[in-house]
Amino acid sequence: MRFVKEIYQGLCEFAPENLAEDWDPVGPQIYFPQEKVRGILLCLDVTDRVLEEAIKQDCNVIVSHHPMFFKGLQRIDVEDYKSGLVYQALKEKISILSAHTNLDRAKNGVNDALAEKLGLEDLAPFYLDDQGRNMGYLAKGQFKTMEDLLARLEDLTQYREPIVYGRAPQSVERIAILGGSGAEFLDRAIQAGADLFITGDVKYHDGQDAYEKNFCLIDIGHYDSEKYVLEKLQDLFKQERTVLYGSCDFIVQKCFLDRKTSRC
């Protein structure tokens, strides 16, 4: 049985914090370094239900992709949602560790996990930032047609079908991917010679931009483009008992809105 500080050290070795953006508050969000680890819950986002599940499963460590604190708390008021989470975690001595943009860029991180699920090969960065850090991949796909690619993407998405913007390409061999929110890198994907770009959080006018540039932009959703990294974290912490929290609490699934659907 290891200590929480050892879990944090392992996370840092897997996804070094110098890979994170300067604005990104990665690392310990709530930290009890000397506590012995009883179990680790892995998630993308820390919510009230995630915390409830951690308590139920006797996990005193939560490893999340998205940090709890993007905005500073001005006060602790237990009737406030975020303050209530902090209070509950402190009361239960639950450590919360986050790896965000560093996990995006890490070997076997977000983009590697997505590429693996898509069966992509010959991965190469399609854009490096001014520090030489990778922002997504340009890779070779094995899909014969656009229909084959979309069928695979539909299998991988949980909450809605992929949305295709722009213009369908003649070839689907050179595929650019960037998990999470990556539409701002549309021009980089085009310049890299991609046939299409798969990412999440695509806005209406991002789609219009792709159309005007005679390019194909596919939105598979923020959650669905990142969730497979949790399996990589499960492999990382296989020495411990882990619980994978495989849902997004703030997305209402379509089957609850449309009782006639068969995809539930």
Side-chain angles (χ1 to χ4, degrees), residues 13-103:
E13 291 171 5
F14 184 77
E17 292 184 1
N18 61 3
L19 295 179
E21 295 283 355
D22 292 339
W23 50 262
D24 196 8
V26 300
Q29 310 287 289
I30 295 175
Y31 197 34
F32 296 94
Q34 301 301 331
E35 289 291 310
K36 289 184 177 181
V37 178
R38 300 191 304 274
I40 303 173
L41 187 143
L42 307 169
C43 63
L44 287 192
D45 304 277
V46 181
T47 68
D48 53 337
R49 292 180 181 176
V50 165
L51 201 54
E52 288 171 5
E53 188 66 15
I55 295 169
K56 177 182 176 182
Q57 297 287 345
D58 194 29
C59 294
N60 63 332
V61 179
I62 294 173
V63 176
S64 71
H65 179 42
H66 299 129
M68 279 185 73
F69 303 115
F70 278 113
K71 299 178 181 178
L73 289 176
Q74 301 298 316
R75 61 181 181 178
I76 299 294
D77 178 349
V78 294
E79 293 187 353
D80 169 73
Y81 178 81
K82 188 60 67 71
S83 294
L85 294 183
V86 173
Y87 171 76
Q88 190 70 17
L90 290 172
K91 186 173 71 171
E92 300 290 339
K93 286 193 173 182
I94 295 175
S95 294
I96 299 175
L97 313 174
S98 297
H100 187 209
T101 50
N102 50 327
L103 189 58

Side-chain angles (χ1 to χ4, degrees), residues 19 26 31 40 72 92 105 111 115 133 147 152 167 169 172-173 191 196 208:
L19 295 179
V26 300
Y31 197 34
I40 303 173
E92 300 290 339
R105 294 184 171 117
N111 291 301
R133 300 177 302 187
E147 288 74 19
R152 180 58 181 151
R167 303 175 192 261
V172 294
E173 182 178 352
Q191 292 164 10
L196 55 88
Q208 182 181 14

Side-chain angles (χ1 to χ4, degrees), residues 211-230:
Y211 179 82
E212 292 173 356
K213 292 173 178 175
N214 195 33
F215 191 67
C216 182
L217 179 62
I218 302 179
D219 183 357
I220 62 171
H222 196 121
Y223 179 84
D224 283 322
S225 69
E226 293 185 331
K227 65 184 180 184
Y228 296 105
V229 77
L230 299 181

Side-chain angles (χ1 to χ4, degrees), residues 9 110 188 257:
Q9 290 166 359
V110 168
R188 302 286 186 177
L257 301 176

